[in-house]
Amino acid sequence: MTTPVLIVGAGPVGLAAGCELLRLGVPVRILDAAADRPKGTRALQLWPPALDVLRGLGLLDSAESRGLRVRTMSYHLAGSRRLKVALGSANEPLLLPQEQTNALLEERLEELGGKVERSAEVTEVRTRGDGVSVEVRGPAGTETVHADWLIAADGVRSRVRERLGIEFAGDRVPMTFLLAEGSIVGSYEKGHVHYFFGRTGALVFAPMRNGNVRIAAAVPEDTPLTPESVQTLLDERGPGGLRVGRLDALRTFTSSERIAVPLRRGRCFLVGDAAHTHSPVGGQGLNLGLQDVHNLAWKLAGVIQGRLTLGILESYERERRQAAEQIVHTTHQMIRMFTLGRAAARVRNLSWHGLDATGVLRRWFVPLLAGWRIRYSGSLSADGSASRLPSRGPALLLKNLPPAGARTPHWVPSTGPDVQSAFRLLTLGSPAGELVRRGRSMAARRSGLLTHDHLPRRGAGFLLLRPDGYVAASGTTPSGLDRVEDLLGRLAAGQGSEA
């Protein structure tokens, strides 16, 4: 028997892949080498694009009840200066321990009819033109699993990536991080993530829902793993007046900046840490992996169900490599910013005051952290043009409609909690206009591939929106819909290129 999609790895990224595909009507089989569910806080911070994945799976309310929203980033600069940056509802992350994220996703997986097969270790992967064969060693012995498609979500030491001979290109980040979790005695603000830029180094202080606090800092490699070391960090880099209580976790770790080359081989796709890894600063890792899944699931489901051409899968490599490169670059720059020497740190602190006073931190840096500034260039757009933010002139001509490859604007109404598998054409302006008539007619002709909604708004225009929250096309005239028709024609099954 052949499995339509085999998923290797049952961390949050693998579980999310299983949930999204099952919601879209695609059977999956999920294997994990571990005997039990992973425990611990691990990836803690879920930014809004990742929360959109949970919302689409009907899990956001449950996640909110178990986590803590971050309303403010507080930057404590040397010399008792403090910048408080209110994030705004569109940018607020949720602090949710990874074991809670795993539990929510696995519960949803089981509701959808899936299950995780544990103690199932992949020992060999063989690709062929029409599928994949995987050797699996489990409690009952060795089994050969045949699948049409494989999604590798088996982490930074991915066995699938290794067996496929895919290079994990990049370098180790040359520093050691200390991470401590537990109770802290003293007064501090909840609902904030605190960044302390002291004269002896930086420290991140994140209060969690259960009364515990996560403390993270770059430290010398030989730092002892003791409560006294954590107390010293708090005293030297923190606000003062805080005392270490109970410690539930204390460890040091290193990280790397690596991206797999390629992210796809034949019918095998790499997602999450199997595909890329980077510095932990900014809490981007799990978020990037969940967006990999969000990018891939609707495309793969469309191909399996005969709605989309195989050629659409070529876009996964291009788009998610761009996203990974952008995140690796951002986190690399953040590491440099957090580990400056004293003279450079003084310049940084002065410049940050200027950025805060002019609103740049709120308007540019916060959306960057939140993940809204990831752009796709030259992929799945109606005109094939690079998806750069428009300059001032074109932006005025397009009435500030975002270009292809940008994120869906926040002002676009949600379609509800269901995972969508179709493109969505949103027309703007008069409900009696030509755009509405043509949009309605196009959706009728492309039933199953395109839906149509209208939003009354000053000025006429349209947006073609992808199921994963990105713009595929935008324009202001009815003739612009010709490009939309052409794109959908190229992507519809039987009319596009082979992958």
Side-chain angles (χ1 to χ4, degrees):
M1 180 177 178
T2 300
T3 299
V5 180
L6 177 67
I7 299 171
V8 179
V13 174
L15 291 170
C19 288
E20 288 222 12
L21 287 168
L22 287 170
R23 283 291 299 272
L24 293 169
V26 177
V28 301
R29 185 173 178 184
I30 302 182
L31 310 178
D32 195 85
D36 301 300
R37 290 182 180 181
K39 300 294 183 182
T41 304
R42 303 185 68 187
L44 177 65
Q45 192 160 246
L46 295 175
W47 289 98
L51 295 176
D52 281 347
V53 176
L54 298 186
R55 180 184 290 108
L57 295 172
L59 295 174
L60 185 57
D61 288 345
S62 296
E64 295 267 18
S65 70
R66 301 187 188 193
L68 178 68
R69 279 283 187 176
V70 177
R71 310 293 182 187
T72 304
M73 293 290 186
S74 289
Y75 299 96
H76 306 257
L77 308 179
S80 300
R81 302 170 181 174
R82 181 184 181 189
L83 304 178
K84 294 175 66 173
V85 182
L87 301 179
S89 59
N91 301 309
E92 292 173 357
L94 181 72
L95 299 185
L96 183 69
Q98 185 170 319
E99 64 181 0
Q100 295 286 346
T101 306
N102 285 349
L104 286 170
L105 287 166
E106 190 160 351
E107 289 166 12
R108 187 68 179 121
L109 181 82
E110 293 172 353
E111 289 172 359
L112 292 165
K115 69 173 183 177
V116 176
E117 300 174 44
R118 302 195 185 278
S119 299
E121 180 185 3
V122 170
T123 59
E124 192 56 69
V125 180
R126 292 186 293 274
T127 63
R128 58 184 192 276
D130 61 348
V132 186
S133 295
V134 177
E135 298 293 329
V136 181
R137 184 167 55 229
T142 299
E143 173 190 7
T144 300
V145 179
H146 300 288
D148 293 326
W149 302 91
L150 184 150
I151 297 176
D154 52 341
V156 71
R157 296 179 178 86
S158 171
R159 178 66 62 83
V160 174
R161 187 187 65 233
E162 175 191 320
R163 290 295 184 261
L164 290 172
I166 293 176
E167 181 185 3
F168 207 24
D171 296 295
R172 178 180 174 273
V173 176
M175 63 182 60
T176 300
F177 299 91
L178 180 142
L179 187 147
E181 291 179 4
S183 63
I184 298 295
V185 179
S187 177
Y188 53 85
E189 290 175 288
K190 294 185 178 180
H192 293 228
V193 171
H194 300 269
Y195 292 85
F196 294 95
F197 296 105
R199 292 184 173 87
T200 61
L203 179 140
V204 183
F205 186 92
M208 296 184 285
R209 186 182 185 89
N210 60 5
N212 280 3
V213 169
R214 170 176 283 191
I215 297 168
V219 297
E221 188 175 354
D222 58 354
T223 298
L225 289 176
T226 64
E228 291 75 20
S229 294
V230 180
Q231 186 64 58
T232 298
L233 284 171
L234 278 175
D235 293 341
E236 293 182 351
R237 305 185 189 184
L242 299 179
R243 183 166 54 84
V244 174
R246 182 194 72 256
L247 286 182
D248 300 323
L250 177 59
R251 64 187 178 94
T252 56
F253 64 94
T254 58
S255 63
S256 297
E257 296 174 335
R258 300 183 186 277
I259 302 174
V261 183
L263 300 180
R264 173 196 178 190
R265 176 153 290 165
R267 290 187 168 231
C268 302
F269 297 87
L270 304 181
V271 297
D273 289 347
H276 38 66
T277 186
H278 52 79
S279 158
V281 174
Q284 299 292 330
L286 175 54
N287 296 270
L288 187 59
L290 290 175
Q291 288 297 298
D292 291 343
V293 166
H294 207 33
N295 181 289
L296 177 61
W298 67 274
K299 299 174 184 176
L300 189 55
V303 169
I304 291 170
Q305 294 166 346
R307 291 179 289 104
L308 296 173
T309 176
L310 274 167
I312 197 171
L313 296 175
E314 295 175 357
S315 65
Y316 176 77
E317 164 78 28
R318 292 194 300 268
E319 293 177 347
R320 296 315 295 167
R321 178 167 303 282
Q322 290 176 45
E325 288 172 348
Q326 290 170 55
I327 291 297
V328 167
H329 174 76
T330 297
T331 56
H332 183 83
Q333 295 302 110
M334 291 174 70
I335 279 285
R336 293 182 61 187
M337 180 176 64
F338 292 157
T339 55
L340 296 174
R342 291 192 180 188
R346 284 195 293 270
V347 175
R348 174 200 61 204
N349 294 350
L350 287 172
S351 65
W352 271 49
H353 275 288
L355 294 174
D356 182 53
T358 57
V360 173
L361 282 181
R362 184 181 67 257
R363 294 193 310 270
W364 183 83
F365 184 65
V366 169
L368 177 71
L369 284 178
W372 296 125
R373 292 193 173 276
I374 288 178
R375 299 287 190 266
Y376 296 149
S377 176
S379 184
L380 284 196
S381 65
D383 57 7
S385 63
S387 54
R388 302 182 181 91
L389 285 175
S391 62
R392 190 169 182 176
L396 292 174
L397 291 174
L398 289 175
K399 301 185 185 299
N400 295 315
L401 292 179
R407 297 289 315 202
T408 296
H410 299 310
W411 49 262
V412 171
S414 172
T415 56
D418 292 339
V419 173
Q420 298 296 314
S421 59
F423 285 86
R424 178 188 181 194
L425 180 62
L426 180 68
T427 51
L428 312 168
S430 168
E434 177 69 8
L435 281 170
V436 177
R437 186 191 66 77
R438 286 196 56 176
R440 189 180 297 124
S441 174
M442 190 185 305
R445 292 194 308 274
R446 297 286 184 182
S447 178
L449 185 62
L450 180 69
T451 64
H452 171 253
D453 294 304
H454 182 74
L455 181 65
R457 195 174 172 89
R458 289 187 62 186
F462 68 86
L463 292 172
L464 180 65
L465 306 174
R466 297 162 35 147
D468 56 354
Y470 282 83
V471 175
S474 61
T476 58
T477 63
S479 63
L481 292 177
D482 293 338
R483 293 181 289 112
V484 172
E485 189 83 71
D486 179 67
L487 173 66
L488 296 177
R490 287 186 280 116
L491 297 180
Q495 300 182 51
S497 63
E498 293 298 300

